[in-house]
Amino acid sequence: HVKPSVFLVASGIHFVSSQGPHEMASPMLSVLGMTGVTVEQTELSLPSRLEAVAEGANAVAEFLNRAGVSEEAAFGIDMAVREGIANAVIHGNKLDEDKVVTITVAKSANTLEIKVRDQGQGFNLETISAENILKTSGRGIFLMRNFMDEVGWTALPEGGTVLRMIKKLENS
């Protein structure tokens, strides 16, 4: 049973936060090898506009601060989150404000999981080149992989893509 501790709807932002045992998280925890642990989770949905990058990153930063994540880890996580949201807004949803980007952050034990979901058509990861590191765009995937321990994408049958990033935290 999830008990929302915060629910905010303002200027198109939906923000839900819950703390405590979370039945919906059990599949995720099983994959991570964790069962019977306390999960703190936050989810928010933002319209696909450029401002969503800062809004989403700020919400994740507040979550990380509440969760006691170190400043050093939070810096890299922030970079990865900004890149993930920007990709979802620009490349996934093509800046269509009728489509939303949903960001879910969950922390349990010493693991942080961040998911960024768009409603776009998806993409082929194989078309992203390592040469993009020298360009002004296209570096997002490279940066996410460098700041996070695991990064993966899932194309959803109903449309859209979910970016899943894992960061193992020390002494959090």
Side-chain angles (χ1 to χ4, degrees):
H1 176 314
V2 177
K3 296 179 183 171
S5 57
V6 176
F7 184 74
L8 166 68
V9 179
S11 64
I13 300 171
H14 304 281
F15 180 79
V16 179
S17 179
S18 62
Q19 284 188 302
H22 192 288
E23 294 84 9
M24 298 287 288
S26 61
M28 171 196 65
L29 296 175
S30 296
V31 167
L32 296 174
M34 298 181 289
T35 56
V37 296
T38 299
V39 174
E40 181 179 357
Q41 179 171 321
T42 296
E43 181 176 288
L44 73 145
S45 295
L46 302 166
S48 294
R49 57 183 183 195
L50 291 177
E51 294 82 4
V53 176
E55 292 167 354
N58 290 339
V60 171
E62 289 174 19
F63 178 94
L64 298 176
N65 187 43
R66 283 193 319 270
V69 174
S70 73
E71 280 187 42
E72 182 180 341
F75 173 80
I77 294 165
D78 178 71
M79 294 291 289
V81 165
R82 287 175 184 275
E83 291 293 344
I85 297 170
N87 285 347
V89 167
I90 297 167
H91 303 295
N93 291 346
K94 310 263 190 248
L95 293 165
D96 180 349
E97 290 191 32
D98 291 332
K99 294 181 179 179
V100 297
V101 173
T102 303
I103 303 136
T104 307
V105 187
K107 181 180 182 294
S108 54
N110 291 331
T111 302
L112 179 75
E113 178 186 58
I114 300 171
K115 290 184 180 180
V116 179
R117 178 180 176 171
D118 66 46
Q119 297 176 316
Q121 296 300 310
F123 72 103
N124 182 353
L125 184 59
E126 313 235 336
T127 63
I128 307 298
S129 169
E131 297 166 3
N132 285 344
I133 191 63
L134 301 176
K135 296 179 181 176
T136 56
S137 67
R139 295 176 288 198
I141 292 172
F142 173 82
L143 291 172
M144 287 184 280
R145 285 183 168 157
N146 277 288
F147 287 119
M148 304 300 282
D149 295 308
E150 296 177 33
V151 178
W153 291 263
T154 303
L156 301 173
E158 66 272 19
T161 301
V162 176
L163 162 65
R164 179 176 178 258
M165 302 182 284
I166 301 290
K167 181 71 174 177
K168 292 178 177 41
L169 305 170
E170 296 178 15
N171 303 322
S172 293

